Amino acid sequence: MADDYLAAYAVGMANKPAIIDDRPGEPVRTLTYRELHRYSDQVAHALAANGVRPGDKVVWCGQNSIKLLAFTHAARKAGCIAVPLNYRLSIEEAAYVIDDSDAVFVWVDAAYAGLIADARPDTPNVREVVVFDGDPLDGQIAEDDYLRNVPATAPSVDAAGTTMIYTSGTTGKPKGTVRTNGAASGTTQSKALLELIGYGPGDVYVTTGPLYHSGPGAFAAIAAMLGQTVVVQHHFDAEDWLRLVDAYGVTSTFSAPTPIRRICSQSNEAFDRYDVSSMRIMIANAAPWPYALKELYLDRFPEDSLWEVYGSTEMGINTVLAPAHQRTKRGSCGRPAPHVEIALFDDDGRRISEPHQPGDLYVKASSVFDTYYKAPEKYASEQRGDFHTVGDVAYFDDDGFFYICDRKRDMIISGGMNIYPAEIESALEHHTEIFEAAVFGVPSEEWGESVHAVVVPIPDAVLDADAVVAHAREHLAGYKVPRSVEFMDELPKTGSGKILKRELRKPHWQGHESGVL
């Protein structure tokens, strides 16, 4: 494909490491830019040779690795729409995403070949499943066999592919977020953001979290587009993360609060063993970082390295809080990012122009996604003219800094993962002894929020918290399973029958300045 940046890097810096996979106790795996270009071309060629066409959906699944990250480049070169699949999903959930996306192909780490095999009966559109880093199961294809006799040349494709990430919602089922503007890092808006933060080709990026999550995946893609080196940590471990930063002179990463809390909680002896002074760009996101965590980070890492951004899978990055304001603007998520317009609206739909007045936060920017796959009505319901919302409530101060103070959309952020109660409520209410359920987030020191369920049993039910949790585990990914359960005879409701979750949440959030963490 013409004008592919990997092709240029394969010539201009052929021997520079593009991806490094360094796991304790195993040989270090490295792909140079020349090797990454050739390998991703070969995979892209194999996709085309086996009938995968531009615009087709292709799913990838696995923990962070060279071949997983390389496949994202291959899918882009083949003009496909890549669909990341969270390997922590249940069989039922994984089958839904694969089937709903209309995926025709799956690229999976051997460790999760069983998940795909179990989901296969409910994914009729999938024609091929290719397994890497291990042996395939019945009906699957080994990577070596799939690539045998395939030349390392790019297919002829007019436009690069893109990514469709599934995000759950209030309807109880995940929805694919569709973008037709190509790579997020290629827009005028994103180029201005990268210039503001100060990224360059000499940076070394380490993954802090799974690549299926939109933030770590997007910043890994940006790193490659800028010609940086990406260090992939296969599975997060706090001390090993420090080792990688020291060993490779890591300069940047993107992280939710939970991994950083675990990193910063390592002993003084651990920090004495590893040099982390190379870190110059830490992007705080995925969930709000409490100020106490920021102070802990700044005690351990360079003072001018901490950047916070506010955004979402749907809307990209919308605000930026620079290092200079981390201590002076406590609780703020920053000012609008370059080429982003933010508007707050009150309950009557009037635009708010005065500071310190909370309102529904709407964004207008090129980074906003185009629609939800197969659910345009849901997309339309979140629009206001040219502006779009994900349901956050915010206010701005006299200096134009924004503060997120509540969420109207019924969402929990736990350990940086977005969790939508409707999915969990639907699963719980399939239990024969549960009449109805209400799920919401409660404060958690480790995770920010944890999942809490209020359950109304049917009359004469014999039901306890353990049974509720066990039922949830049968149908949901582990991180969605309630960590605590309480029982009520009935749920508080409005006159129209809507559950008053604010009343249920209130006792759990007493003493907190904000209703979100």
Side-chain angles (χ1 to χ4, degrees):
M1 188 175 72
D3 302 323
D4 178 67
Y5 56 84
L6 285 186
Y9 295 154
V11 175
M13 46 188 186
N15 296 318
K16 179 177 180 177
I19 311 172
I20 298 172
D21 187 342
D22 181 346
R23 307 178 195 180
E26 298 184 24
V28 177
R29 310 177 192 182
T30 301
L31 276 190
T32 65
Y33 268 101
R34 177 193 289 122
E35 292 167 337
L36 174 60
H37 176 54
R38 286 179 56 82
Y39 178 74
S40 57
D41 269 355
Q42 187 178 28
V43 176
H45 198 107
L47 288 170
N50 285 279
V52 179
R53 300 290 175 248
D56 280 348
K57 316 298 191 311
V58 293
V59 164
W60 54 262
C61 179
Q63 289 184 284
N64 299 350
S65 67
I66 279 183
K67 289 183 178 177
L68 186 148
L69 192 53
F71 180 78
T72 66
H73 292 286
R76 173 179 56 78
K77 290 183 175 191
C80 298
I81 299 174
V83 181
L85 183 69
N86 180 349
Y87 53 80
R88 299 169 65 188
L89 296 181
S90 68
I91 297 167
E92 184 179 321
E93 292 169 319
Y96 174 82
V97 171
I98 297 169
D99 186 56
D100 185 75
S101 69
D102 298 318
V104 300
F105 176 92
V106 178
W107 177 264
V108 61
D109 188 315
Y112 301 96
L115 172 65
I116 303 303
D118 290 340
R120 193 71 186 272
D122 296 314
T123 57
N125 292 317
V126 173
R127 300 195 297 267
E128 292 174 315
V129 175
V130 174
V131 177
F132 65 92
D133 286 351
D135 296 329
L137 302 178
D138 288 346
Q140 300 176 346
I141 306 168
E143 173 211 4
D144 287 347
D145 292 335
Y146 192 70
L147 300 182
R148 187 169 286 119
N149 300 322
V150 175
T153 56
S156 178
V157 176
D158 292 332
T162 185
T163 295
M164 182 168 73
I165 298 175
Y166 268 70
T167 179
S168 299
T170 55
T171 59
K173 288 292 187 182
K175 298 289 185 291
T177 54
V178 178
R179 279 188 172 84
T180 57
N181 59 0
S185 52
T187 65
T188 299
Q189 176 189 333
S190 57
K191 287 178 180 177
L193 174 67
L194 300 179
E195 183 177 337
L196 171 66
I197 295 174
Y199 284 103
D203 282 308
V204 178
Y205 175 85
V206 66
T207 59
T208 309
L211 289 167
Y212 66 72
H213 195 288
S214 59
F219 277 87
I222 288 169
M225 191 168 191
L226 296 176
Q228 301 173 5
T229 296
V230 177
V231 179
V232 293
Q233 187 178 35
H234 183 61
H235 174 73
F236 178 76
D237 175 270
E239 183 170 351
D240 186 57
W241 187 93
L242 293 174
R243 178 186 69 84
L244 293 174
V245 171
D246 179 29
Y248 297 102
V250 168
T251 62
S252 76
T253 191
F254 170 106
S255 182
T258 299
I260 292 302
R261 185 176 286 109
R262 292 179 177 176
I263 290 165
C264 291
S265 296
Q266 294 295 297
S267 66
N268 290 333
E269 290 77 15
F271 274 88
D272 288 341
R273 283 195 296 273
Y274 305 110
D275 182 3
V276 297
S277 62
S278 60
M279 184 64 68
R280 69 182 199 89
I281 302 174
M282 166 64 72
I283 303 293
N285 189 241
W289 280 35
Y291 185 69
L293 178 58
K294 290 185 176 183
E295 287 187 308
L296 189 59
Y297 172 85
L298 293 171
D299 285 344
R300 297 289 206 184
F301 290 86
E303 179 80 16
D304 60 353
S305 65
L306 183 57
W307 294 78
E308 183 170 10
V309 298
Y310 161 77
S312 61
T313 300
E314 293 93 335
M315 301 197 301
I317 291 174
N318 306 139
T319 69
V320 179
L321 187 69
H325 300 119
Q326 295 295 336
R327 296 189 189 274
T328 60
K329 291 294 182 180
R330 292 181 55 168
S332 173
C333 59
R335 290 178 170 135
H339 303 287
V340 173
E341 183 180 353
I342 295 177
L344 303 182
F345 294 91
D346 64 20
D347 290 339
D348 295 320
R350 293 187 294 261
R351 186 163 179 171
I352 294 171
S353 58
E354 296 296 321
H356 306 289
Q357 301 297 315
D360 297 343
L361 186 150
Y362 281 76
V363 170
K364 181 166 69 172
S366 64
S367 61
V368 174
F369 73 127
D370 298 305
T371 191
Y372 286 110
Y373 190 57
K374 298 181 180 177
E377 71 288 345
K378 183 177 187 294
Y379 181 83
S381 71
E382 297 172 347
Q383 281 185 296
R384 189 184 292 272
D386 293 333
F387 289 84
H388 198 86
T389 187
V390 292
D392 287 331
V393 177
Y395 65 88
F396 57 86
D397 66 15
D398 295 320
D399 300 317
F401 286 81
F402 282 82
Y403 300 75
I404 308 298
C405 56
D406 201 357
R407 283 194 293 268
K408 279 197 170 180
R409 182 188 280 193
D410 207 9
M411 183 174 73
I412 302 164
I413 303 181
S414 182
M417 298 296 295
N418 291 352
I419 301 171
Y420 287 85
E423 274 189 281
I424 305 169
E425 290 161 354
S426 176
L428 293 180
E429 289 170 4
H430 276 86
H431 192 292
T432 56
E433 292 189 306
I434 294 177
F435 173 68
E436 64 180 342
V439 174
F440 51 90
V442 296
S444 167
E445 183 174 340
E446 180 177 7
W447 302 104
E449 293 178 272
S450 64
V451 179
H452 181 76
V454 180
V455 171
V456 177
I458 63 172
D460 302 321
V462 181
L463 194 66
D464 60 16
D466 289 343
V468 172
V469 170
H471 174 78
R473 287 195 186 281
E474 291 181 13
H475 301 278
L476 300 166
Y479 65 90
K480 301 177 186 177
V481 173
R483 296 296 185 266
S484 52
V485 179
E486 65 177 299
F487 295 90
M488 297 182 70
D489 292 332
E490 62 179 330
L491 301 177
K493 296 178 181 177
T494 65
S496 62
K498 184 178 181 180
I499 297 172
L500 289 167
K501 284 195 179 177
R502 289 181 184 273
E503 294 301 315
L504 294 171
R505 283 166 50 91
K506 190 181 300 181
H508 298 275
W509 288 87
Q510 287 180 353
H512 291 268
E513 295 179 1
S514 172
V516 296
L517 288 176

